[in-house]
Amino acid sequence: MMNYVLGLCCIKCGKELQAEPGIYTCPECGPQDGILDVVYDYQNIKIRHSRQQLSQSGDYSIFRYIPFLPLNPETPRPNLRFGWTPLYRPPGLAKVLGFTNLYVKDDGQNPTASLKDRASAIAVIRAVEEKMTTIACSSTGNAASSLAGAAAAMGLTTFIFVPGRVPQGKVAQLLIFGANVISVQGSYSDAFRLSAEAIDRWGWYNRNAAINPYLVEGKKTVAMEIAEQLNWEVPDWVAVSVGDGCTIAGVWKGFKDLYRVGWIDKLPKLLGVQSSGCSPLVDSFLENRHWRPAEENTIADSIAVGVPRNPEKALRAVRESGGTMVAVSDEDILDAMRLLGRTSGIFGEPAGVTGLAGLRYLGSNGVIKSDEKIVAIVTGNGLKDVKNAIAAAGEPIRVDPSLQCLVEELKWRGIE
Ligand SMILES: *Cc1c(COP(=O)(O)O)cnc(C)c1O
Ligand SMILES: [Zn+2]
């Protein structure tokens, strides 16, 4: 047996398709709406695998969940450690937020420092399985840097389309990983469209997350890890930031897959958070209407997605879970960055801490109770975007090299 994939199912019309190379969307519903879900032979996974068996595994990466991945176990893999990021319980943060049962999943500790690595690992392995040597994607930054890193480890060529506004840290990653970087002078939507045209033109492997149904399968491993790290006692809430919507959809798929094989006995509520400067999915959710394109007006560049590519999967996930969505201001996001850093030593990029900012808000207005079990996923590391980190935290104390100056400066600031 190659793997447990039975086929693909269209989330719009429910049509079942064979999992074949080059099939990314439902032909009936089209590439906009016909997003596909990977369906597994859960019956046989259940028979052949167990939580006990998993607990013996020495593989501390996303590949410990290989029965749930759309991969041939024999295909070579990039030699990087994807996933198995720490789940912390930071007491200082819990105290400030008034939650007694709060966890932080630090996905900034992936090889290229974001949750996107989970998806890019799958992308490069699938590309090799499909005998492709060149992969392309468009990205707000992290999908790009993670693809470039994973592809470098696999010996593949990449073409990466990013909007001009991408923070320098991410561009540096791309260039260091040897990608062909196309900086599109326009919005993310422009970059996405140009990449789609180029992929058509040259026939490259398509890593655009919403279109490629296999990538959510990599992202779902974050949920599987959370469940296992909590000893299969599922949290009440999982909070995560939302851009295209693939991440939150992946989190939901992960918990649902575990539920289907009976490894967990309940599902969490999802909290999807966007910046109020770019909140098409939150607005759609709260106003109960179809989403509309929005401005991309936020410092949280990774979730500045005015035209989300996976809106239906994301909205469905939140609804099915009985959770909710909320938008927070850029100020709240910078506050969350500072708070997380100061109380727990974890450094998130703006989009990385947006989920936490949303939790804080819903905790303060009573939607989330103080004793509920909560996991905030930090989706990306703060070193990717130093400019906003300084904006959040302020400048250092500048002194001339003399003890006298230091004494006076500290006194003046009331630190000493
Ligand atoms: C991509 C990204 C997100 C959001 O994921 P979507 O699939 O676009 O919703 C959140 N945080 C970070 C750091 C990201 O890179
Ligand atoms: Zn369809």
Side-chain angles (χ1 to χ4, degrees), residues 9-15 17 25-30 33-36:
C9 178
C10 174
I11 69 163
K12 179 108 193 272
C13 72
K15 187 180 160 81
L17 300 165
T25 51
C26 171
E28 314 266 306
C29 302
D33 299 322
I35 305 287
L36 303 173

Side-chain angles (χ1 to χ4, degrees), residues 114 116 142 219 241-247 302-303 349 351-352 379-380:
S114 83
K116 297 283 195 303
N142 286 330
K219 289 185 169 183
S241 55
V242 177
D244 274 317
C246 306
T247 303
S302 305
I303 52 168
E349 65 166 276
T379 49

Side-chain angles (χ1 to χ4, degrees), residues 152-202:
M154 230 20 197
L156 301 170
T157 302
T158 47
F159 282 86
I160 309 284
F161 297 75
V162 290
R165 62 153 197 265
V166 168
Q168 274 215 306
K170 297 179 184 178
V171 177
Q173 284 185 299
L174 291 174
L175 296 167
I176 283 289
F177 296 142
N180 297 295
V181 184
I182 319 290
S183 173
V184 180
Q185 303 304 298
S187 68
Y188 171 52
S189 315
D190 296 326
F192 188 94
R193 187 176 32 76
L194 184 59
S195 77
E197 287 168 15
I199 286 165
D200 249 11
R201 165 78 170 68
W202 281 284

Side-chain angles (χ1 to χ4, degrees), residues 210-227:
I211 296 296
N212 188 321
Y214 301 105
L215 303 187
V216 168
E217 299 301 302
K219 289 185 169 183
K220 81 183 176 188
T221 57
V222 72
M224 297 181 154
E225 288 174 18
I226 289 170

Side-chain angles (χ1 to χ4, degrees), residues 19 28 31 51 98 104 108 112 167 172 209 241 262 265 267 272 274 284 307 334 351-352 361 365:
E28 314 266 306
R51 295 187 331 195
V104 173
T112 78
S241 55
D265 56 12
L267 294 164
Q274 297 196 292
S284 156
V307 179
L334 291 177
Y361 179 75
N365 72 11

